[in-house]
Amino acid sequence: MQALNHFSLPLKGLKNGKHNYTFQVDEDFFESFDNAPVASGSLIVTAELNKQSNHLELLFHHKGTVRTECDRCTAEIDLPVEGTNELIVKFSEEENEEEAVVFIHPESHVFNLAKYIYEFVVLSIPMMKVYDCKSEKDQPCNTEVLRVLEESQLGKIDHSIWDSLKNVNINN
């Protein structure tokens, strides 16, 4: 968890108004989370904090790549991801979380953003993990898998379940 300490924002002594933070998310960050669907990546995360007297408004933007397996060719790829998310932090005697609202104790000295950054990055990964890599100089594609897929598409004959009924003679 040592790798996540620099994702903490100091709350005590922070003046009301807007404050900007920039974080580098890398392999050490993802290794800090158990059973993470992402093992490594390289992203820049910006957080704009608008501190009010009774709550915090956070606007996150992340952009970069995550290391994953391509769903088309099974090669390891650096999949581009990007996203913008909001989070409201309210002060309450009981710490709690709701959808996009977090409640923390009014006497909290710091607020760690790591868990939320992790969730926002994972949620920005598309369901189909493919991208147009043809523009890259060194394409990461597994050419053998793509060749087999192409051959199977060329030789594919559309067999409908109704084709077998064409030979049935109903006049007998």
Side-chain angles (χ1 to χ4, degrees):
M1 285 303 212
Q2 189 72 12
L4 303 181
N5 285 345
H6 74 278
F7 291 94
S8 294
L9 300 180
L11 298 180
K12 290 296 177 191
L14 191 64
K15 295 187 183 325
N16 286 351
K18 292 190 178 186
H19 307 273
N20 294 306
Y21 301 90
T22 302
F23 302 100
Q24 175 71 39
V25 174
D26 56 16
E27 188 173 331
D28 292 337
F29 175 84
F30 291 108
E31 286 177 354
S32 300
F33 294 92
D34 294 332
N35 302 317
V38 178
S40 67
S42 178
L43 298 107
I44 298 292
V45 178
T46 58
E48 180 183 289
L49 167 65
N50 187 4
K51 184 176 187 221
Q52 305 293 320
S53 59
N54 60 350
H55 71 281
L56 308 171
E57 299 170 2
L58 286 151
L59 178 64
F60 295 90
H61 180 76
H62 65 273
K63 184 174 183 174
T65 60
V66 293
R67 192 82 174 150
T68 187
E69 185 176 279
C70 177
D71 287 340
R72 184 182 323 134
C73 71
T74 69
E76 285 291 315
I77 59 171
D78 291 321
L79 184 68
V81 293
E82 185 174 1
T84 301
N85 302 87
E86 293 180 5
L87 182 68
I88 305 293
V89 180
K90 294 186 176 183
F91 299 108
S92 171
E93 292 296 323
E94 295 181 27
E95 294 188 10
N96 193 0
E97 286 188 33
E98 295 177 5
E99 186 176 331
V101 179
V102 176
F103 296 91
I104 63 172
H105 196 274
E107 297 300 317
S108 296
H109 294 282
V110 294
F111 181 64
N112 193 292
L113 303 176
K115 176 174 104 172
Y116 306 102
I117 292 171
Y118 170 77
E119 288 176 2
F120 297 149
V121 170
V122 170
L123 288 173
S124 70
I125 298 172
M127 288 184 71
M128 292 296 296
K129 296 178 288 237
V130 295
Y131 75 108
D132 184 17
C133 61
K134 291 184 184 358
S135 62
E136 290 187 21
K137 184 177 180 179
D138 296 322
Q139 294 180 5
C141 300
N142 183 337
T143 55
E144 182 63 26
V145 170
L146 291 176
R147 183 187 61 76
V148 169
L149 284 173
E150 187 176 310
E151 287 176 1
S152 68
Q153 290 296 328
L154 291 175
K156 185 177 179 181
I157 300 171
D158 188 24
H159 290 292
S160 172
I161 59 170
W162 304 109
D163 285 349
S164 60
L165 296 175
K166 291 179 183 177
N167 299 329
V168 174
N169 188 352
I170 58 172
N171 293 331
N172 288 343

